[in-house]
Amino acid sequence: MTSPTEGPGDIGAEWLRTAGPDSDVVMSSRVRLARNLAGFPFLPKASREDRRQILDIARRNVLDAALAKQVMWVDLADSPTLERQVLVERHLISRQHAKGDEPRAVAVSSPDERLAIMVNEEDHMRIQVMRSGLALSEAFDHIDSVDDSIESRLEYAFSPRFGFLTACPTNVGTGIRVSVMLHLPGLKLAGEIDKVRRAAKGMSLAVRGFYGEGSDAVGDIYQISNQTTLGRTERQVLDDFERQIIPKVIEYERHARRTLIQMRRTLVEDRTHRALGALRSARLLAADEALQLLSLVRLGLMLNLFSSDGPELADVSRLMLLTQPAHLQKAIGRTLDQAQRRIARADLVRAEIDRGRR
Amino acid sequence: MKCDHCDNEATVHEVTVEKGKKLEKHLCEHCAQEQGLAVKSHTSINALLTKYVMSSASSQQEAVRVCCEGCGMDYAEFRQHGLLGCPECYSSFEEQIGPLLERAHEGGTHHIGKTPRRSGGSVDRQHMLAGLRRQLSEAVAAEHYERAAELRDAMRSMGHEQDAGDDDGGVGRARARSEDDA
Ligand SMILES: [Zn+2]
Ligand SMILES: [Zn+2]
């Protein structure tokens, strides 16, 4: 197995590349499809032997299908806890998938990590494609062809009435889950984050925060995803995002940023410069604190508030991931307790934040 | 911080401000999923199950004894966990979960999306068109014009201009779009 993490200098994670359309607000776009093999029970009723067979079938066919230049297969039951946690932080597997010792795996396209297929999570297969910025159509076209290619090799559980059959009835039908990760520090600073909820209201979309190590909402990062999978086509679900909700949210956030600059420039300058100062000089940093500070610096960069004194956006984005607990320990090369992590995290941030300027 | 409902670490947090009051929820991944932590319009399967069971208690009593031949799961077990046991469960419990799905999916009762190529023969297509037609008439009867327009779009994309009702279909669609843009 190749390691999914490179050194601190290189980062594969597509969702943190901060490139692509509208990436000042939209960090990443993701599409996921839930699929189950015909002829096997769903996982709640699957024996260990069933799971092993499903895993074998999936491995053979996913690897044979040549879905990317290079596909890395990770048997999670044999992986150390830290490796699994790294995959969670990279958004390649769910928290749930990281737990337990039942036969299960993830296949990841390498090195771009755009494609990930979880095997034996809640469904036999959960295929996911991720893109930087707002690129849902591209993500969907990609996942659609991956799905076709897998389906040409094995038989999915499907019914004409209910569509693709899933363990949980909330996913049945298309089995599609579209989600967009948004950076909304402007709305947060302006106290208008509720606008997002209102925009999503009546559309059966879920709005969630994205959370670090501790318990509080951090980083001003939000995720919006669909809830309805039956009775609508994949394109209709995508349309809700691309034509309605996301353009609205982008406009709200940009408007909030503009207004903040016009009306409360000093406040925004103060917050963003303080955040940068803290990152450059802190000796102890908690994961949540680091993410929140990085979020403010990202805002400062988007608003051109640092002139020539600012860090590179790529370094800020990279640190959003590298300051997460598992990545940090992997970079250091050993497990650390929470107190040790705070020291190591502050050291790492001081060493890396101005890497691109040197 | 602990989950509001169990001893697990809370990983999902939601703060809602309603009428000046701040409501906080701190849940573990599992409980958050159960609660379907989301905007209000979405109701989780478990919440739906509870409501549905309360509103039609007698028929559910019988349903509890229905057992899936594919995997041996009974309806009570599904109600407990919210997860089905095998693909056959969908036909075994079709009568029970039909109304449930309709609520969970905003009125959606039939699949109208992608079909596997392997089974993409004319029979499945006919099924899907039948389902579409039924949902369309339901949507029109309930005056859900936006949804009706979506269903017409879906029929059109399957190459059934005729079924989509060419005369009023275009108008209905244009209307829905302009309302959205307003
Ligand atoms: Zn809990
Ligand atoms: Zn069953």
Side-chain angles (χ1 to χ4, degrees):
Chain A
M1 177 191 126
T2 333
S3 163
T5 45
E6 311 295 328
D10 187 12
I11 204 135
E14 172 76 10
W15 58 280
L16 274 174
R17 271 181 49 231
T18 317
D22 300 310
S23 59
D24 57 325
V25 179
V26 182
M27 298 185 77
S28 65
S29 306
R30 184 175 65 161
V31 180
R32 188 214 70 194
L33 297 175
R35 297 289 186 257
N36 287 277
L37 304 185
F40 284 96
F42 294 143
L43 291 162
K45 282 279 184 191
S47 66
R48 209 176 162 82
E49 184 49 35
D50 288 331
R51 285 169 188 259
R52 197 168 293 128
Q53 282 187 32
I54 293 162
L55 198 69
D56 279 348
I57 293 170
R59 184 199 290 116
R60 241 192 351 262
N61 290 290
V62 164
L63 295 179
D64 273 0
L67 301 169
K69 269 196 194 122
Q70 198 188 343
V71 175
M72 174 176 73
W73 180 275
V74 186
D75 276 311
L76 293 165
D78 307 330
S79 305
T81 314
L82 188 62
E83 282 301 328
R84 297 186 211 167
Q85 221 41 55
V86 164
L87 293 168
V88 172
E89 288 174 5
R90 295 177 90 74
H91 292 208
L92 296 172
I93 65 173
S94 62
R95 282 203 172 87
Q96 182 189 339
H97 206 45
K99 289 176 198 148
D101 63 349
E102 295 287 349
R104 66 202 192 289
V106 65
V108 180
S109 71
S110 180
D112 62 38
E113 298 182 11
R114 283 178 164 184
L115 170 69
I117 304 173
M118 286 193 283
V119 181
N120 286 349
E121 202 232 22
E122 187 179 284
D123 293 298
H124 297 160
M125 285 196 268
R126 289 254 169 119
I127 311 169
Q128 128 179 334
V129 164
M130 207 135 49
R131 281 283 189 287
S132 301
L134 183 58
L136 286 169
S137 288
E138 289 89 334
F140 178 73
D141 291 345
H142 183 181
I143 205 167
D144 196 36
S145 75
V146 167
D147 186 47
D148 285 347
S149 161
I150 296 175
E151 194 255 323
S152 70
R153 285 153 200 277
L154 40 80
E155 196 181 342
Y156 287 147
F158 180 86
S159 106
R161 175 175 176 186
F162 293 124
F164 293 95
L165 303 176
T166 53
C168 184
T170 51
N171 297 316
V172 80
T174 53
I176 199 169
R177 189 75 78 228
V178 173
S179 43
V180 172
M181 197 184 287
L182 300 151
H183 187 225
L184 306 175
L187 287 169
K188 186 71 179 300
L189 267 178
E192 291 176 345
I193 208 76
D194 221 39
K195 270 190 170 179
V196 179
R197 273 174 221 287
R198 261 179 273 137
K201 211 184 151 193
M203 298 190 66
S204 192
L205 300 172
V207 183
R208 280 185 176 219
F210 165 83
Y211 301 95
E213 183 178 22
S215 58
D216 289 320
V218 283
D220 310 324
I221 300 171
Y222 292 80
Q223 200 169 295
I224 298 186
S225 46
N226 70 300
Q227 301 286 325
T228 305
T229 53
L230 186 66
R232 314 188 67 212
T233 66
E234 292 84 352
R235 289 283 173 197
Q236 286 165 350
V237 173
L238 287 174
D239 261 16
D240 274 357
F241 281 81
E242 288 190 316
R243 294 206 213 167
Q244 303 195 31
I245 171 109
I246 302 303
K248 244 185 243 174
V249 174
I250 291 173
E251 187 37 47
Y252 290 159
E253 172 64 20
R254 285 180 186 155
H255 180 258
R257 290 180 191 179
R258 278 197 304 272
T259 309
L260 282 167
I261 285 299
Q262 281 163 16
M263 316 290 284
R264 300 157 81 186
R265 187 177 180 99
T266 314
L267 173 93
V268 185
E269 282 181 345
D270 181 68
R271 291 284 174 85
T272 51
H273 280 85
R274 266 173 198 265
L276 183 55
L279 289 168
R280 280 179 175 156
S281 51
R283 294 310 196 255
L284 292 171
L285 270 180
D288 288 359
E289 187 188 3
L291 191 54
Q292 188 57 56
L293 294 169
L294 289 163
S295 161
L296 283 167
V297 171
R298 189 182 196 271
L299 174 67
L301 286 170
M302 294 302 169
L303 294 174
N304 284 318
L305 294 179
F306 297 125
S307 61
S308 61
D309 182 44
E312 298 282 334
L313 181 58
D315 290 326
V316 173
S317 298
R318 207 176 58 228
L319 281 170
M320 283 181 154
L321 186 58
L322 290 180
T323 53
Q324 296 294 307
H327 276 80
L328 178 68
Q329 293 173 76
K330 197 148 156 98
I332 303 296
R334 62 196 168 90
T335 53
L336 304 168
D337 65 28
Q338 199 171 38
Q340 293 170 323
R341 287 207 295 274
R342 289 183 179 204
I343 299 171
R345 186 176 291 116
D347 289 347
L348 179 78
V349 169
R350 288 202 314 281
E352 295 290 324
I353 185 100
D354 292 311
R355 186 190 173 97
R357 300 175 68 223
R358 276 179 229 128
Chain B
M1 186 182 289
K2 290 249 190 295
C3 170
D4 293 346
H5 293 274
C6 70
D7 274 347
N8 292 337
E9 191 67 15
T11 54
V12 176
H13 311 267
E14 190 184 64
V15 180
T16 336
V17 179
E18 222 170 295
K19 290 175 188 141
K21 263 192 193 165
K22 203 166 119 191
L23 300 168
E24 286 188 38
K25 272 188 193 171
H26 306 280
L27 301 170
C28 69
E29 201 67 22
H30 179 76
C31 293
Q33 249 169 29
E34 293 208 330
Q35 289 225 345
L37 195 54
V39 291
K40 281 173 215 88
S41 63
H42 174 66
T43 332
S44 75
I45 275 290
N46 278 305
L48 283 165
L49 280 166
T50 318
K51 265 194 238 161
Y52 184 62
V53 170
M54 291 206 304
S55 63
S56 57
S58 58
S59 68
Q60 290 294 303
Q61 291 287 306
E62 286 161 35
V64 164
R65 288 192 293 272
V66 178
C67 195
C68 173
E69 280 183 20
C71 67
M73 181 175 272
D74 61 29
Y75 193 67
E77 198 179 344
F78 163 62
R79 258 176 41 189
Q80 206 183 335
H81 302 290
L83 294 174
L84 292 162
C86 77
E88 263 185 65
C89 283
Y90 279 93
S91 42
S92 306
F93 304 128
E94 185 161 2
E95 212 176 299
Q96 288 79 33
I97 62 175
L100 194 74
L101 289 170
E102 194 176 340
R103 289 181 207 204
H105 296 280
E106 306 278 297
T109 54
H110 289 71
H111 177 59
I112 61 171
K114 186 174 182 177
T115 317
R117 286 191 190 167
R118 199 178 272 270
S119 62
S122 55
V123 179
D124 290 338
R125 230 175 107 84
Q126 287 314 311
H127 270 274
M128 277 180 56
L129 280 166
L132 273 169
R133 254 182 245 117
R134 195 185 321 167
Q135 287 185 90
L136 179 58
S137 58
E138 283 165 6
V140 169
E143 300 186 15
H144 290 150
Y145 297 118
E146 227 174 288
R147 170 140 183 84
E150 275 185 6
L151 292 163
R152 286 194 191 98
D153 281 349
M155 293 174 87
R156 197 168 282 115
S157 74
M158 286 181 75
H160 272 247
E161 297 288 332
Q162 239 46 46
D163 293 301
D166 250 348
D167 39 6
D168 70 327
V171 180
R173 181 179 172 207
R175 194 187 306 135
R177 287 278 178 255
S178 62
E179 273 167 16
D180 298 342
D181 294 340

